[in-house]
């Protein structure tokens, strides 16, 4: 059972949400009085409560989603809140649906979406993974962070061929290395206010680090928002090459460290927007004509379930008509389908941009 002080904080937070009439988060939309009352006293085996789940959304009323999972069990224990939010965000992944088994598909079906190099500046495919047997950020101890970093860095040092590289711990990092990683846009900073409020940044920078291969086309973030963010990227539009590199890496890492997986929800991570395949395939793309006709851009994006963001990701503007465009669906479809949908959408956007000339 949650203690009295936690429940009092929860009551206060619930009142604040109810009073916030301009709050548009999914948390506010789905946290009814009934659901709140049925969950407020519950506690996971690792000690996480509803407060851990909702505190970021209570503190940041401008959140889009507003909840995080403090540990894997939270997805089951607090499912009356998680399930409808997951269904809403992952359009059409109903509470009775089951995420399919992992399937990277025929990796040779992916191509260079912009062989002339006129539109796509860079291409990136990433996925998130959690190490089995460890909670997520709010419940991790300092010892956990150190132990996980040790496991991850020794696993990565075994990678070979194109994936061979170096692990750089954030702890004790020299100014030179730090600057080099900043220049490459590889370095992650301590979490934003949404993550801070979710208690995702404790013991910073202990246990955090960055691995990249010598060519700088493969990157792993250790203990940033997720236990592992595995990223494959390069300049230009060769999605095929980027995807194949990611698949090789994920399969290789999984042989060495088991990942947290849920029968219904697929791969589990800290944020409910990032479940199932956890795959986000994106391009930085220049579409000046469509940029001037935002409505048309959004219409095509919606047809292919694409998310259109500003150049620097969520909550940013498009600089110089350059957008960050990615697949929005990650659940209820395979890895192959998620990336294929994004490839089809990007090819269509380029076709329309050319026709608008």
């Amino acid at each position: 059972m949650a203690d009295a002080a936690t429940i009092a904080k929860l009551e206060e937070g619930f009142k604040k949400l109810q009073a916030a009439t301009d709050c548009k988060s999914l948390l506010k939309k789905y946290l009814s009085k009934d659901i709140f009352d049925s969950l407020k006293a519950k506690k996971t085996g690792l000690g996480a409560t509803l407060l851990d789940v909702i505190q970021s959304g209570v503190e940041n009323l401008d959140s889009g989603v507003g909840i995080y999972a403090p540990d894997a069990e939270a997805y089951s224990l607090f499912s009356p809140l998680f399930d409808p939010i997951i269904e809403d965000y992952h359009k059409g992944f109903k509470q009775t649906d089951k995420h399919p088994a992992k399937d990277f598909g025929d990796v040779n079906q992916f191509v260079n979406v912009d062989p002339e190099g006129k539109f796509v500046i860079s291409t990136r495919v990433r996925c998130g993974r959690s190490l089995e047997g460890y909670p997520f950020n709010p419940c991790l101890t300092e010892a956990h962070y150190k132990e996980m970093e040790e496991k991850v860095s020794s696993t990565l040092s075994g990678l070979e061929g194109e994936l061979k590289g170096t692990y750089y711990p954030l702890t004790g990092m020299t100014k030179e290395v730090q600057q080099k990683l900043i220049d490459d846009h590889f370095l992650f900073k301590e979490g934003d206010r949404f993550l801070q409020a979710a208690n995702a940044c404790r013991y910073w920078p202990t246990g955090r680090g960055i691995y990249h291969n010598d060519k700088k086309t493969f990157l792993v973030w250790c203990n940033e928002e997720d236990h592992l963010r595995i990223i494959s990227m390069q300049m230009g539009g060769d999605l095929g090459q980027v995807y194949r590199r990611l698949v090789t890496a994920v399969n290789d890492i999984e042989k060495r460290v088991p990942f947290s997986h849920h029968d219904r929800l697929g791969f589990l991570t800290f944020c409910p927007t990032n479940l199932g395949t956890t795959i986000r395939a994106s391009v930085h793309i220049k579409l000046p004509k469509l940029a001037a006709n935002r409505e048309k851009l959004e219409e095509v994006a919606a047809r292919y379930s694409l998310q259109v963001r500003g150049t620097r990701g969520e909550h940013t503007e498009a600089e110089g008509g350059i957008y960050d465009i990615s697949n929005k669906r990650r659940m209820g479809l395979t890895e192959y389908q998620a990336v294929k949908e994004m490839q089809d959408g990007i090819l269509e956007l380029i076709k329309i941009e050319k026709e608008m000339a």
Side-chain angles (χ1 to χ4, degrees):
M1 284 274 294
D3 60 43
T6 301
I7 292 175
K9 264 190 196 156
L10 274 165
E11 297 282 4
E12 201 181 308
F14 184 68
K15 271 201 197 101
K16 181 179 169 185
L17 271 177
Q18 296 305 97
T21 46
D22 53 352
C23 172
K24 294 182 178 63
S25 71
L26 295 180
L27 166 64
K28 178 169 164 77
K29 183 172 171 184
Y30 292 105
L31 187 61
S32 65
K33 181 83 176 97
D34 285 353
I35 288 178
F36 176 75
D37 286 337
S38 72
L39 299 179
K40 68 183 179 190
K42 293 191 170 178
K43 203 174 185 176
T44 68
L46 290 165
T49 67
L50 184 63
L51 187 62
D52 294 302
V53 174
I54 71 170
Q55 59 193 354
S56 181
V58 168
E59 200 163 310
N60 300 289
L61 294 169
D62 56 342
S63 296
V65 178
I67 66 170
Y68 289 101
D71 59 25
E73 190 197 339
Y75 281 112
S76 308
L77 187 66
F78 301 108
S79 61
L81 178 60
F82 275 104
D83 285 352
I85 287 179
I86 287 167
E87 178 174 355
D88 189 312
Y89 183 87
H90 297 276
K91 304 286 176 237
F93 186 79
K94 291 192 274 308
Q95 299 178 41
T96 47
D97 289 347
K98 189 172 185 284
H99 183 74
K102 180 182 77 176
D103 180 9
F104 288 113
D106 176 359
V107 295
N108 296 312
Q109 291 300 306
F110 295 100
V111 299
N112 187 333
V113 293
D114 179 25
E116 297 162 15
K118 286 186 179 165
F119 304 98
V120 177
I121 293 154
S122 61
T123 304
R124 179 175 180 263
V125 183
R126 64 92 166 138
C127 65
R129 289 290 186 269
S130 304
L131 273 56
E132 205 173 70
Y134 290 92
F136 304 149
N137 279 319
C139 296
L140 287 172
T141 62
E142 192 166 9
H144 280 143
Y145 275 117
K146 288 179 174 164
E147 201 178 297
M148 287 161 76
E149 181 178 44
E150 178 50 43
K151 268 190 190 173
V152 169
S153 60
S154 65
T155 296
L156 296 173
S157 67
L159 295 177
E160 285 161 6
E162 191 197 10
L163 302 174
K164 190 174 163 48
T166 312
Y167 181 79
Y168 301 95
L170 257 58
T171 307
M173 185 177 279
T174 65
K175 281 276 176 276
E176 295 78 50
V177 170
Q178 195 177 2
Q179 196 50 54
K180 187 166 74 80
L181 292 169
I182 288 171
D183 293 344
D184 288 329
H185 301 293
F186 286 175
L187 193 69
F188 54 83
K189 296 197 274 295
E190 196 168 340
D192 59 20
R193 61 191 166 92
F194 300 96
L195 290 170
Q196 295 269 1
N199 271 338
C201 312
R202 297 185 312 161
Y203 314 113
W204 193 272
T206 301
R208 277 74 169 192
I210 292 156
Y211 173 94
H212 70 76
N213 66 345
D214 302 335
K215 274 190 171 163
K216 300 181 179 177
T217 54
F218 171 67
L219 184 66
V220 179
W221 283 356
C222 177
N223 283 324
E224 181 242 6
E225 176 179 325
D226 290 317
H227 295 173
L228 290 179
R229 274 282 162 96
I230 305 168
I231 305 159
S232 171
M233 65 199 169
Q234 66 195 50
M235 301 310 284
D238 198 337
L239 178 61
Q241 224 174 8
V242 173
Y243 182 71
R244 287 188 285 276
R245 185 185 306 118
L246 182 87
V247 172
T248 304
V250 171
N251 288 336
D252 213 352
I253 295 168
E254 192 167 21
K255 281 182 201 138
R256 304 154 197 254
V257 284
F259 296 141
S260 209
H261 192 272
H262 185 284
D263 266 1
R264 189 178 94 76
L265 301 173
F267 288 103
L268 295 181
T269 68
F270 183 45
C271 182
T273 64
N274 198 21
L275 296 169
T277 63
T278 75
I279 277 200
R280 180 171 188 268
S282 62
V283 290
H284 272 176
I285 186 168
K286 212 186 312 188
L287 299 165
K289 297 192 174 68
L290 276 166
N293 185 351
R294 187 70 200 236
E295 219 166 281
K296 180 74 177 159
L297 175 61
E298 292 289 357
E299 177 206 316
V300 179
R303 202 182 326 145
Y304 289 93
S305 303
L306 297 176
Q307 185 172 34
V308 181
R309 297 175 169 185
T311 316
R312 305 244 168 250
E314 228 168 354
H315 317 302
T316 67
E317 293 304 306
E319 296 165 20
I322 297 170
Y323 290 97
D324 175 318
I325 300 183
S326 62
N327 62 302
K328 195 171 179 195
R329 299 202 304 153
R330 323 202 197 295
M331 294 192 82
L333 73 178
T334 65
E335 287 75 1
Y336 173 80
Q337 290 167 329
V339 181
K340 184 76 168 67
E341 188 166 59
M342 176 266 193
Q343 174 168 285
D344 294 345
I346 297 298
L347 289 169
E348 180 66 11
L349 284 170
I350 290 174
K351 183 170 159 264
I352 292 171
E353 181 72 20
K354 283 178 172 171
E355 286 164 0
M356 288 171 83

